[in-house]
Amino acid sequence: MNTSTMLRAFCDAVEQRNSKAFAELFTEDGVYHDVFYGAFAGRAKIAGMIDDWFYRTATDFRWDMHDPVSDGETLYARYTFSYRSTLPEAQGARAMFEGVAIMRLRDGKIVEYHEVANTAPAFADLKFAPERIAKIVAKQGAALKARPEMKRHLE
């Protein structure tokens, strides 16, 4: 499967709540590192992430990947991602995120997915209190700092 086809299948599976098709894009030992929810290892956990986490408090997902670049082992793509929140305080608002997807590949499948996203504006869209946004962003910053590959950039 070529890069564009794989990325469209990735986005379509989330938009269509097709957790099985989404998980099949990963190797058996694949890991999805979500910017909010953490790591999901293995196809069963990755599939569960779609139903148990993504769709728990959201609906009407839209995900598009832009300007992909790959050497066959690593794939980078800018993305736009949005959903309609079902959280009471959001009052049905749509949250939109921009980010970069980073995927390690093996034999045409995703071994590891990471993302870097600008999350604070979306939380404002959802009408979260400033204190709640600050707490979420601080937690994400701490998780980023904990990643070994980030150490030299933070010194």
Side-chain angles (χ1 to χ4, degrees):
M1 175 179 319
N2 73 38
T3 300
S4 295
T5 302
M6 182 183 72
L7 291 175
R8 190 66 257 158
F10 182 99
C11 296
D12 287 349
V14 172
E15 290 178 2
Q16 296 163 12
R17 197 176 184 171
N18 189 339
S19 55
K20 184 175 190 254
F22 188 76
E24 287 295 319
L25 295 168
F26 288 78
T27 60
E28 286 288 339
D29 61 341
V31 181
Y32 184 105
H33 296 272
D34 186 78
V35 72
F36 299 115
Y37 305 123
F40 296 83
R43 287 183 177 155
K45 296 274 187 193
I46 292 168
M49 175 189 69
I50 300 299
D51 289 323
D52 300 337
W53 293 92
F54 279 29
Y55 277 86
R56 181 176 51 171
T57 58
T59 189
D60 190 21
F61 286 83
R62 296 178 190 159
W63 201 339
D64 292 297
M65 298 283 185
H66 313 280
D67 308 319
V69 176
S70 179
D71 64 0
E73 293 180 17
T74 305
L75 168 62
Y76 297 93
R78 248 182 354 93
Y79 69 76
T80 49
F81 177 78
S82 69
Y83 59 83
R84 190 160 308 283
S85 178
T86 59
L87 292 170
E89 66 267 36
Q91 301 172 352
R94 176 165 287 283
M96 199 275 291
F97 303 86
E98 291 183 291
V100 175
I102 305 148
M103 301 177 210
R104 282 192 318 109
L105 307 173
R106 181 174 67 225
D107 300 324
K109 300 273 186 185
I110 304 165
V111 176
E112 197 165 19
Y113 173 93
H114 285 275
E115 60 190 353
V116 178
N118 185 5
T119 58
F123 293 129
D125 292 342
L126 295 176
K127 302 173 181 67
F128 283 12
E131 301 80 26
R132 185 173 181 191
I133 295 171
K135 185 176 178 181
I136 293 167
V137 172
K139 183 179 175 185
Q140 291 172 343
L144 188 62
K145 289 177 184 177
R147 290 179 35 200
E149 67 271 24
M150 300 304 292
K151 185 178 179 181
R152 72 183 194 91
H153 296 280
L154 299 170
E155 294 175 337

